[in-house]
Amino acid sequence: MFVPPHLENDPLNEPDREALAAKKEAQRRRKARQAARLKKKKARQKQIWARRRRIGCIFTVLGVFVIWLFLRLAPVSFGTIIVDGNENMSFEDVYRACGAYSYVNVVQLSTDDVEERLKKDLRIAEATVTREFPATIHVTLTERKPAAVITTLYGFAYVDKTGRVIELGPQIKGVSLPIMTGKKVDNLLLGDTVTDPTLHSAMVYLQSLPPDILKNIAEINVGNPESIVAYTTDSIPIHLGSGDEPAERAKLTETLLAEVQENHLAVQYIDTDVRSPLVKTK
């Protein structure tokens, strides 16, 4: 058989090469089909996992909602109320003031409602309520403190520094507070604010005094509105005039009492007239 010179060294003839090419093409197509099937399988698996995640999220949301609904309606305890600033009020008193009477469930409490309830309590001057993750309500409050005692027709009224009545009683308790004498106020009820101008001036004077001076004021006689007189625990009269410029008179009180103490003076009275302050000695 005649073989062309350029094919003399070719181990494969034309039919063999075509068979080899067909075999390679068949292998390529088989691999392509396998790759397509694998890709399709992965896509299906991805869809299945995505569907499962969606179903899982739906069930999670439904579960959380069911738990929230249960905690919202059921009389069960859940969470904690943290209280800061209470000195005289017990934690139980604060819980009740918040609206948590028999149990604490922070899901059933609104921070705005709790804050409003606390501010309506006469024992509390200021309150801030915040919610903290995951199940805590934080209450920060400032209690009202009695600043003076006012004589009434039926006993005594304890007022805070703003002149608001926070307690009434037939007798004075064992507390060290300045007492307003010389005038009995009628119809004072819990929550009322003292509006009498003479008493108001006396209250401003007291609150303008430094704490170390205030604790030594035992009484303020307001019987004569034009001649208000305070008395120290050492029975030193301090004339306050008509109670005008109470803050300035408070500063003068501090200065004049310091002068008396430093010089060991025997004092008849102290006059806090802003124009001509005086220490009258005996």
Side-chain angles (χ1 to χ4, degrees), residues 22 51 112 127 189 198 216 246 260 281:
R51 188 181 302 112
D112 291 338
L189 302 175
T198 304
N216 293 321
V260 169
T281 58

Side-chain angles (χ1 to χ4, degrees), residues 155-166:
F156 301 92
Y158 295 80
V159 297
D160 68 356
K161 63 182 181 180
T162 66
R164 190 170 187 180
V165 179
I166 59 176

Side-chain angles (χ1 to χ4, degrees), residues 232-270:
T232 69
T233 53
D234 296 328
S235 300
I236 298 177
I238 303 173
H239 292 192
L240 303 176
S242 61
D244 58 313
E245 301 182 82
E248 291 299 322
R249 289 181 183 272
K251 292 180 181 178
L252 286 173
T253 298
E254 181 182 9
T255 302
L256 297 176
L257 285 177
E259 180 182 337
V260 169
Q261 185 176 7
E262 290 173 3
N263 298 306
H264 305 287
L265 301 177
V267 180
Q268 184 175 347
Y269 65 84
I270 290 174

Side-chain angles (χ1 to χ4, degrees), residues 92-149:
E92 289 73 16
D93 288 340
V94 178
Y95 294 160
R96 285 192 292 270
C98 290
Y101 298 99
S102 57
Y103 62 92
V104 172
N105 187 326
V106 296
V107 176
Q108 297 174 0
L109 297 175
S110 164
T111 54
D112 291 338
D113 291 343
V114 169
E115 189 168 310
E116 185 176 352
R117 290 174 64 95
L118 291 173
K119 289 180 179 179
K120 288 181 179 179
D121 193 302
L122 288 177
R123 297 168 294 181
I124 299 173
E126 297 178 0
T128 302
V129 181
T130 56
R131 193 180 294 277
E132 299 177 356
F133 183 84
T136 299
I137 288 180
H138 194 165
V139 176
T140 304
L141 57 84
T142 302
E143 293 180 352
R144 292 187 188 275
K145 296 180 179 180
V149 181

